[in-house]
Amino acid sequence: MSHIFAAGLALLLLTGCQQRASEPAPPKTLHAFEDDAQLEAFFKDQPAAAGPLDAAAPAPAGALAQRDSALAAEHGRHLVLLRRGRLFTVEIGKDQLKPVAALDAFAPGGAGMSRYDELIVSEDTLAVIGYSEAERSTGINLFDIDAGGRLAFRASYLLRAGDGAPGSLAISQIDSKLVLYAAGAPDPLGADPLAVLPALRAGPAPFGRIIPASRVYRLDAAIDSRLALHSVTVCDLATRTLRCDASTVLAPRARAVYMASQALYVWTLPYAGESGAGLVRMPFNGGAPGAVRVAGAPHDRYSFHESADAHLNVLVGADGATRSWRSQGGAGALALLRLPLQAFSDGSERAPMASYKDLPDFSSAPLRNRFIGPWLVYGGAAGSADGRAPLYALRWDGTGGLQRLQLAHPVERIAAMGVDAVVAGQARSALHLSSIRLGAGPDQPATVASTYVHPNAQETPAPVQEPYYAAQRPGQGMLGLAIVEAARPDQSDGAIGAVAGATSGAVADAVADAVADAASVLYLRNTALKLRELGALKAQHDAPGDQAAWYGNARPLFVQGRMFALLGDELVEGKLKNGRLREARRINYAPAAP
């Protein structure tokens, strides 16, 4: 019996070993530090940083500081507005437009933030996120909001993560979680090199680290480069007291950052001593990050799309600094990189050349691109002498070839319009909006359905301004966008054109000269991809300073089937009558004159 038992045990062990050997090996990830001592020694070996990290990608032309940004959110039957460091709630239930409450967007007796970046509502919690230059920290102020729209301050927090440089902060909301990305530089000469790690402070309490050394990872292939700390912090807004956890990756500075639904991606600048760059994936669930070496460079955050088939799709171009996926890559080289998420490992491996789908060279800079459903759509913001420009459409999953469409205007903005697209561009002193039908099946092409022309108008050149769309049913909805109707048609092209390369102060002056009293939000109805103008809601400027305040802060709001326009310090509602949009009422919440 003992021999039988021994033989059976041996067979069982052998079978178990064979099963484990046949199982896939666990994926490799970036290496974490073991403890504070190892991490501190690593920091002390790094060269001293030359100063705060600059944003790797240039800020959009005409970018304005967000100190006076106008932000909006919805809570039940109320709109919540943030403007000039003040919160406002407005009753919109039962066809009302009535101010309810107003409160400072910071702690009582405290100081406002240097800029305001985001306004988030989660259940009955209101979160105001911004940056404090004085504290060199991200501010998170929490408020309670009840069913009647009343506000009450709850708590203020400071998150020390990153240096707050423009372009180095990204914010997202995923259910009740607040997700923040920040980038900063190590400080090896500081009294405490670990003080650069993410830390949280409640009110006047001291900062407390929210990350252990075991959640700090390094991209070993790039440790000779000038490193940045790329930190992802996840805070739970469902608890009364804010609880946050963080992960950090030490890698070269970011070229572009993209937030997907489950992870953040950082495309780094090239490694020192070679022309390759790194692509890092940082999961939001606390899992270990992975990385892969890549070639080329994305244009911006719109160049990325994490698809439901567990792939990352990126439109990349040659920038002269990184190696190309081609043996001979020119300055206009372009490709679609399609990577399975399993390709992210410890950062030592390169993305296979077969992952790059070569596209025709593209020289119509600057590039505009957008992933919409199963399509990648891109084109150039600079048109030919007659203003015309091509638009390209490609199914990112590889089912179908590249299509070239001809537009009567440059490609300055691309936005989703339901399952289709709308492209905005200026040509011949007019704003053009082309609706693009994106075929639903692999054998259905992309086509230009129609083009609407609004004469004597310019789309506002503020950062990240684009058409906003509210779908009502398949193939039908409302489109809105901020425009500037030139007060002097013969000078409009020069006035707005001067904005593109101006500083923020010069932008404000140029806008004040150009917009006069014609700043507005234009509304159109989409019916089967035919756009029909409904009308516009206009701003009322009482002083030149108000014109600059409006610039970059105008947007349409589609809420509960109603149409509003946020115009600087004004909230304006419009209603349709006989097929035309008319102003119904407005609220001005500008501070009272002294």
Side-chain angles (χ1 to χ4, degrees):
M1 293 294 291
S2 61
H3 293 291
I4 296 175
F5 177 78
L9 179 61
L11 180 61
L12 180 62
L13 291 173
L14 178 61
T15 303
C17 290
Q18 289 176 340
Q19 288 176 340
R20 285 193 294 271
S22 64
E23 292 174 355
K28 294 186 290 186
T29 63
L30 296 184
H31 299 139
F33 289 87
E34 295 179 359
D35 52 34
D36 282 5
Q38 186 187 42
L39 181 55
E40 184 172 351
F42 177 86
F43 278 147
K44 288 183 176 179
D45 286 340
Q46 299 301 305
L53 292 179
D54 297 325
L64 289 180
Q66 293 181 288
R67 185 184 306 272
D68 293 325
S69 290
L71 304 173
E74 183 181 353
H75 179 266
R77 65 177 192 271
H78 296 90
L79 276 178
V80 185
L81 307 174
L82 171 61
R83 175 69 169 151
R84 301 181 188 269
R86 295 273 290 172
L87 288 166
F88 305 87
T89 57
V90 180
E91 165 76 56
I92 59 172
K94 297 182 179 179
D95 196 36
Q96 296 188 73
L97 189 67
K98 182 177 68 175
V100 174
L103 192 66
D104 287 336
F106 44 87
M113 300 187 203
S114 305
R115 69 169 192 260
Y116 294 92
D117 297 305
E118 195 64 75
L119 176 65
I120 288 176
V121 172
S122 176
E123 298 295 336
D124 293 333
T125 296
L126 183 66
V128 175
I129 302 98
Y131 190 78
S132 170
E133 295 285 356
E135 298 286 352
R136 300 183 62 186
S137 300
T138 296
I140 305 173
N141 294 336
L142 301 183
F143 299 83
D144 294 316
I145 179 170
D146 65 14
R150 291 175 290 270
L151 298 168
F153 173 79
R154 183 195 305 173
S156 64
Y157 298 86
L158 288 174
L159 174 65
R160 189 183 63 200
D163 53 29
S168 66
L169 180 68
I171 304 168
S172 182
Q173 179 184 9
I174 301 175
D175 298 325
S176 64
K177 299 294 192 293
L178 169 64
V179 182
L180 303 103
Y181 162 80
D187 185 15
L189 302 181
D192 180 9
L194 302 186
V196 297
L197 296 176
L200 190 68
R201 188 179 92 184
F207 278 101
R209 256 176 61 186
I210 57 173
I211 180 172
S214 59
R215 294 283 296 274
V216 181
Y217 304 83
R218 61 186 183 272
L219 191 58
D220 289 335
I223 59 175
D224 293 330
S225 306
R226 182 189 171 191
L227 295 182
L229 287 85
H230 302 279
S231 298
V232 169
T233 303
V234 180
C235 301
D236 190 358
L237 295 177
T239 59
R240 293 291 299 174
T241 301
L242 194 67
R243 295 189 178 94
C244 302
D245 296 297
S247 297
T248 295
V249 172
L250 298 173
R253 291 175 296 161
R255 176 61 183 256
V257 174
Y258 163 66
M259 271 196 179
S261 61
Q262 300 297 325
L264 177 127
Y265 293 87
V266 179
W267 191 294
T268 77
L269 292 178
Y271 301 163
E274 62 171 277
S275 56
L279 177 57
V280 180
R281 184 178 191 270
M282 303 179 67
F284 297 150
N285 64 3
V292 63
R293 295 192 188 193
V294 286
H299 177 68
D300 55 26
R301 63 188 176 95
Y302 298 115
S303 303
F304 296 79
H305 173 59
E306 185 185 271
S307 48
D309 61 352
H311 281 71
L312 180 68
N313 309 272
V314 191
L315 181 64
V316 297
D319 65 349
T322 54
R323 65 188 295 270
S324 176
W325 55 93
R326 297 179 183 172
S327 57
Q328 294 181 345
L334 204 62
L336 175 62
L337 171 62
R338 182 164 160 78
L339 272 177
L341 299 187
Q342 293 178 342
F344 289 86
S345 62
D346 62 359
S348 62
E349 300 176 4
R350 294 188 185 275
M353 289 298 106
S355 302
Y356 297 85
K357 177 182 176 60
D358 216 6
L359 299 173
D361 284 7
F362 186 87
S363 57
S364 302
L367 177 74
R368 299 289 184 260
N369 56 171
R370 189 65 61 93
F371 284 91
I372 300 174
W375 291 87
L376 164 65
V377 182
Y378 67 93
S384 59
D386 62 357
R388 300 178 182 273
L391 179 74
Y392 298 90
L394 173 73
R395 285 183 170 272
W396 45 257
D397 63 0
T399 56
L402 180 69
Q403 296 180 236
R404 185 182 190 275
L405 310 177
Q406 186 64 44
L407 300 182
H409 56 87
V411 181
E412 297 186 43
R413 303 285 191 277
I414 305 173
M417 191 162 66
V419 296
D420 300 297
V422 60
V423 180
Q426 306 166 39
R428 300 173 294 281
S429 297
L431 172 67
H432 295 65
L433 293 168
S434 292
S435 53
I436 311 298
R437 178 176 286 107
L438 299 176
D443 57 343
Q444 295 178 307
T447 57
V448 180
S450 65
T451 299
Y452 162 85
V453 180
H454 188 76
N456 192 31
Q458 312 269 353
E459 185 187 359
T460 204
V464 200
Q465 284 280 4
E466 61 181 39
Y468 291 75
Y469 185 71
Q472 296 174 317
R473 57 182 62 92
Q476 184 172 320
M478 296 290 188
L479 185 74
L481 72 163
I483 64 169
V484 173
E485 295 187 272
R488 299 183 297 276
D490 59 326
Q491 299 181 22
S492 62
D493 288 342
I496 298 297
V499 171
T503 63
S504 60
V507 165
D509 293 340
V511 171
D513 290 339
V515 303
D517 59 353
S520 59
V521 174
L522 178 69
Y523 296 83
L524 305 100
R525 184 187 296 279
N526 167 43
T527 304
L529 295 180
K530 292 188 180 296
L531 299 176
R532 180 175 67 86
E533 181 180 339
L534 298 174
L537 299 176
K538 299 181 180 295
Q540 292 180 349
H541 302 301
D542 296 326
D546 289 339
Q547 296 167 3
W550 175 91
Y551 174 72
N553 282 318
R555 71 201 66 182
L557 298 175
F558 298 102
V559 183
Q560 300 178 10
R562 294 161 68 182
M563 289 183 289
F564 300 93
L566 190 58
L567 297 163
D569 292 323
E570 296 176 304
L571 178 66
V572 186
E573 182 180 9
K575 292 189 176 183
L576 291 174
K577 184 176 182 180
N578 299 324
R580 295 294 298 172
L581 183 67
R582 309 294 182 188
E583 178 181 327
R585 46 199 164 180
R586 72 174 58 216
I587 295 175
N588 189 314
Y589 48 95

